[in-house]
Amino acid sequence: MKRALLVLCLMVAGHAALSEHIVAYRIRVGLDPAKKTVTGHESLTWRNTSGDSVGELRFHLYLNAFQNEKSTFMRESGGQLRGDQASKDDWGYIEVQRMQIAGGPDVTKSIRFVHPDDDNADDQTVAAVSLPQAIGPGQSITLEIDFLSKLPKVFARTGYHNDFFMVGQWFPKIGVYEKAGDRYATTGGWNCHQFHANTEFFADYGVFDVTLTVPANYVVGATGVQQSVVEDAQHHSKTLRFYQEDVHDFSWTASPHFIRTERMFDPGRLVSAAEREDVGKLTGAPPEALQLQPVRMILLMQPEHAWQTERHYRALQNGLKWFGLWYGAYPYQAITMVDPPYGAEGAGGMEYPTLITAGTSWWPAAGGSDPEEVVVHEFGHQYWYGMVGTNEFEESWLDEGFNTYSTGKVVDKAYGLRDLDLHLLGIPVARFVGIPQVTEDTINRGAYLQFGKFDPVVRNGWQYYSTFSYGVNSYMRPGALLRTMENYLGAPVMARIMRTWFDRYRFHHPTSRDFQKLVNEVSGRDMNWFFDQFVWGTNWLNYKVEDVSSEKIEPKLGSYLVNGKRATVTQAEVDQNKDKRPAEYKLTVKLKREGECVFPIDVKLTYDNGRTEWRSWEGVDRWVKWEWTGKTKLRRVEIDPLHRILLDGSFADDSWVADTDPLPFAKWGSNLLFWLQMVLP
């Protein structure tokens, strides 16, 4: 045990760690392109940071999700993910051939497969290893592991296509031991879920020192920074070493066809003093906190997509710039972008520490979101999942939803309004048929409208109603609710919330409850009502203008006693003076809450003479009726006219307009647009 701790200390000596180094991996493997295998050795050091004595270790063996149709992943997905189909001819798996405690006994025979999430005894994506001696508090253990990983045809983020290899979730990876008080844990235990169709990953931070041997003509990209390359002319191979601290995963790619280019993100040239000043005012961050560092941007591009090089670099620069300014500087030396080839789309649109996969097509539209939005989104995961290490199995919105929100802000800032992603032979069909350009808010809201009531936002990834519900409640609905929160609290408050969240919890494992407390703290308001309804609940929000009238007030006929004297109002007198009497109207507005959720709303009243008036309603009661008198008719009544409450179930019933105003058609057209986004291919 002491020797293991010494090894760990030597590995990280001389480096200012940004995270608590709980794990240290030293991996040396070789790629066999013909057999589609990665074979080698892993030396893993794990440190027990709890007060418990730990007698069992648990490992993720993710590739076993693809070894047969009986795995939980394949049962749940039916062999399909994100439009990609698993091959039924070429399976993937991982075999642990030897596991031995460094300087101690072999524990290979104590390995057994467990399935903590379901009753599928055929699932082999989690392995438990019983130890001959428990690891005490503060102690470390080093395991020497020989393993073989057989890659499937590209599917679900990993695999091969011809001579392209995307090697993700490929090595025996230790789970997270949560002590009592960590996240939601009440007692100590392993958080090591099976690989499900609708989940991603969760791991501890540490050090990765990885050596890869590949054919000599292959171009390689990987997590971290390349330290060395050694050519072996005799075997027509080369060996590359990559190193990175303060990350929780390692992925790599290799292909003989990549065109590798590299540029430097230069904040001195790409970030202006005015932009820093504006962000400083918005977030309250001091000038020194807004100083970004240079970053090596590496692009591995398919030859047929080389003409899109500038688009990729510009998108990555925008990510580095705005995520860095708004939340905090990117701390790593490099970031690598990978462009998968045609036929390997399943490897696209994915994030790993310091390495992202984008993805494009033979003819992407010049105004579309491919590849810009993909690059920005996947880079954003360096923050939400990469550095703020939330549990993607259990609270996917904290990475995907936060990133959807953040990506939308970057893309809106850098690219402005854009067409819906509807193209035919490069032609923006949406614009051609008259559909207006949109922002990310429109897209997120459109998805939320379809699946906003099926599940709460927070749920284990494999327990949502469907894959589509998982996607909506992990990505688009959280994007809409965070933007609604921003609209309610104000942009400066929300900017401080997000920056504080990153600053406080980077290289930690926070929860949704942590975010809720932080929002209350930074905003100075009790926002529990917001979280109870829109994060933890499934009820619907919808306010509507139920009825509006402007009834002209006519003198009432009859006999009246006024100041002790009787007066009579006759019809003849009314008719005689009707043109002399100034008009007066009884104005009535009735608003209705149709959903179960409550949200304070603003209402804009517009009169015939152009005058506007704003009123507020706390929205608690089922309805409210306002009655008053005025000298002008109402022309328009609008609930939330700026559409700040993106969670409102229907914008179409948020307004009433006099018959002569064409605005209702625009309102219905706007609502129809949201549905078209989800229906059209």
Side-chain angles (χ1 to χ4, degrees), residues 271 276-277 279-280 283 285-292 324-326 499:
V271 183
R276 287 196 185 90
E277 183 179 356
V279 173
T283 63
E288 60 271 17
L290 300 175
Q291 297 299 317
L292 308 184
L325 288 175
W326 287 337
R499 189 176 185 91

Side-chain angles (χ1 to χ4, degrees), residues 442-567:
T442 311
I443 299 169
N444 293 336
R445 174 178 156 76
Y448 156 72
L449 289 179
Q450 294 205 33
F451 267 80
K453 291 185 69 173
F454 280 78
D455 292 291
V457 167
V458 180
R459 173 158 285 183
N460 290 334
W462 60 95
Q463 294 177 333
Y464 286 92
Y465 174 79
S466 66
T467 296
F468 190 52
S469 183
Y470 161 79
V472 168
N473 285 288
S474 300
Y475 292 77
M476 286 76 81
R477 182 181 177 188
L481 76 84
L482 289 171
R483 187 61 74 103
T484 298
M485 183 187 295
E486 175 184 323
N487 293 338
Y488 179 73
L489 295 174
V493 174
M494 192 66 182
R496 291 196 295 273
I497 287 171
M498 297 300 290
R499 189 176 185 91
T500 303
W501 174 251
F502 175 74
D503 185 61
R504 183 175 299 178
Y505 290 110
R506 66 177 187 153
F507 305 116
H508 292 84
H509 299 313
T511 68
S512 299
R513 292 297 184 191
D514 292 323
F515 183 64
Q516 183 172 340
K517 292 176 183 177
L518 184 141
V519 168
N520 290 342
E521 172 194 331
V522 176
S523 70
R525 302 191 191 187
D526 182 351
M527 292 292 290
N528 292 335
W529 62 271
F530 185 94
F531 282 84
D532 290 344
Q533 295 182 109
F534 305 119
V535 175
W536 306 104
T538 60
N539 287 333
W540 198 244
L541 171 69
N542 190 53
Y543 289 95
K544 68 178 294 187
V545 179
E546 179 72 8
D547 188 45
V548 178
S549 64
S550 299
E551 182 182 345
K552 188 173 183 180
I553 300 174
E554 299 286 357
K556 301 302 181 183
L557 304 179
S559 179
Y560 300 90
L561 189 63
V562 180
N563 296 326
K565 295 182 180 181
R566 185 163 294 280

